[in-house]
Amino acid sequence: NEGNEYFRERDYRKAVIAYTEGLKKECGDAELNAVLHTNRGAAQFYLGNYRSALNDAIQATKIKPTHLKAIIRGALCHMELRNFSEAIAWCEEGLQIDSEEKKLVELRAKADRLKVSIKAGRAVMGSDLLCERNIKLVLEPSNEEEEISDGLAEISLDGFHSDNATGAKVHLDSGGSLNWPVLFLYPEHEQTDFIAAFHENSRFIDHLMVMFAELPPWDVERKYLPSNLELYFEDEEREEMYELNPKHTLLQVLQHKRYFVKAGTPTVLAFVKRSPFSKKYFSGKKVHRL
């Protein structure tokens, strides 16, 4: 109920946390657990975390295979991830349960259309989308990095298969916004997090609140709390570090004059504030702080 209230208020981050707490109770009520997964998936979806939303839809359908809301959510996630074949499969599964479900009929037709258009000729974005956003892209196919300053690097709209997160590519969603694969690095523990579809207008703090709603097993000292973290990106050319404002959106960060997207995947580094490791890591480096 708490999660539903946050959802109605469009506070999707708190809704995710509330539904997660509900799932932790392991109440044994299969119907309720399926709803909790479905609702958490819906909140993740509106945060732009399509991979997490899809995982929740999968869990919900494992508990209750006929749960149409979960099937619709799974199909929607695959649409956003540009996995049109998978979206069609989910729609067909739902239509076997209810052949007149309007949302599934519409999604099935749209997925078919988009799949055919991509087969006819691979959709590619050129300079326009990058230039209008003032995003600088660097590709690294050769030994020497060469900046593509005019934004002519090709960015696929194909999406990627759900089992291959490392093949994630930036893509346009149905609303005309870019969704990027983003890599989070935690140098102190040599750990990483990967967000397959980070909406360009989503804030970093919102993702951190979801990612660290539960502390990771490697954080034995329980230091990795969203309010206790600092985010940085590295300007390798100048060997300098820039601190990010967690309340900024991904697009605001990508538009920084010294941010260059390498190999199509934005990368940020996360450190615990004023930790001994952080002080040692930044020792001797030029750091531009907030």
Side-chain angles (χ1 to χ4, degrees):
N1 289 337
E2 184 179 312
N4 289 347
E5 186 62 33
Y6 285 130
F7 195 97
R8 280 191 291 271
E9 294 170 359
R10 299 187 179 182
D11 193 338
Y12 302 120
R13 176 185 60 78
K14 287 185 180 177
V16 167
I17 294 171
Y19 293 135
T20 299
E21 288 301 313
L23 286 165
K24 283 181 182 177
K25 299 299 180 184
E26 298 180 350
C27 67
D29 184 333
E31 181 79 23
L32 179 55
N33 286 329
V35 171
L36 283 166
H37 275 294
T38 302
N39 289 5
R40 186 173 71 173
Q44 293 276 29
F45 184 89
Y46 285 111
L47 285 170
N49 300 330
Y50 304 125
R51 178 67 49 198
S52 297
L54 178 58
N55 288 338
D56 269 322
I58 291 170
Q59 290 303 315
T61 54
K62 282 182 179 178
I63 297 170
K64 185 180 178 183
T66 59
H67 196 25
L68 271 179
K69 284 188 176 180
I71 292 172
I72 292 170
R73 182 63 56 194
L76 285 167
C77 289
H78 279 303
M79 290 294 289
E80 293 295 342
L81 294 169
R82 321 306 283 180
N83 300 330
F84 300 124
S85 294
E86 289 90 339
I88 291 169
W90 277 67
C91 288
E92 289 179 344
E93 183 178 339
L95 289 170
Q96 287 179 7
I97 300 167
D98 182 353
S99 61
E100 297 182 1
E101 170 54 55
K102 184 179 177 182
K103 187 67 176 176
L104 289 174
V105 172
E106 291 174 352
L107 279 174
R108 175 72 169 79
K110 185 176 180 180
D112 259 335
R113 248 186 351 262
L114 291 170
K115 183 180 178 183
V116 169
S117 68
I118 284 180
K119 271 190 173 181
R122 188 182 179 200
V124 173
M125 292 184 297
S127 60
D128 290 349
L129 287 173
L130 297 177
C131 286
E132 71 184 20
R133 286 168 168 79
N134 194 27
I135 295 175
K136 298 166 289 298
L137 197 69
V138 174
L139 297 182
E140 313 179 89
S142 59
N143 292 331
E144 294 187 6
E145 296 177 0
E146 180 180 356
E147 181 186 345
I148 312 299
S149 58
D150 59 359
L152 293 178
E154 292 184 349
I155 306 178
S156 169
L157 289 174
D158 291 19
F160 56 98
H161 293 296
S162 56
D163 295 331
N164 185 15
T166 57
K169 299 172 184 176
V170 59
H171 65 267
L172 273 176
D173 62 23
S174 56
S177 298
L178 290 179
N179 291 264
W180 294 83
V182 175
L183 185 64
F184 285 79
L185 305 178
Y186 311 106
E188 182 174 1
H189 296 279
E190 298 183 347
Q191 297 289 333
T192 63
D193 268 325
F194 184 78
I195 297 179
F198 193 130
H199 192 285
E200 62 182 352
N201 292 323
S202 291
R203 303 185 307 168
F204 279 89
I205 186 61
D206 294 328
H207 282 281
L208 289 177
M209 294 299 287
V210 173
M211 290 156 60
F212 292 100
E214 299 179 41
L215 291 174
W218 45 262
D219 181 21
V220 293
E221 297 180 32
R222 304 177 67 82
K223 299 184 300 183
Y224 279 72
L225 303 170
S227 60
N228 200 31
L229 297 179
E230 292 178 337
L231 301 180
Y232 294 82
F233 73 84
E234 186 173 6
D235 182 346
E236 294 186 5
E237 181 182 333
R238 296 183 180 178
E239 297 183 351
E240 297 175 358
M241 303 288 292
Y242 287 83
E243 186 180 359
L244 310 181
N245 186 339
K247 292 183 179 179
H248 278 177
T249 65
L250 174 60
L251 180 57
Q252 286 176 299
V253 172
L254 297 185
Q255 290 175 331
H256 190 284
K257 62 182 179 180
R258 294 306 304 168
Y259 199 103
F260 299 90
V261 180
K262 296 177 63 178
T265 304
T267 302
V268 296
L269 296 88
F271 299 88
V272 173
K273 293 177 181 177
R274 297 178 291 280
S275 68
F277 178 88
S278 175
K279 292 176 182 177
K280 183 178 179 181
Y281 187 92
F282 291 118
S283 176
K285 289 185 171 70
K286 184 171 182 180
V287 182
H288 300 271
R289 296 190 180 276
L290 291 173

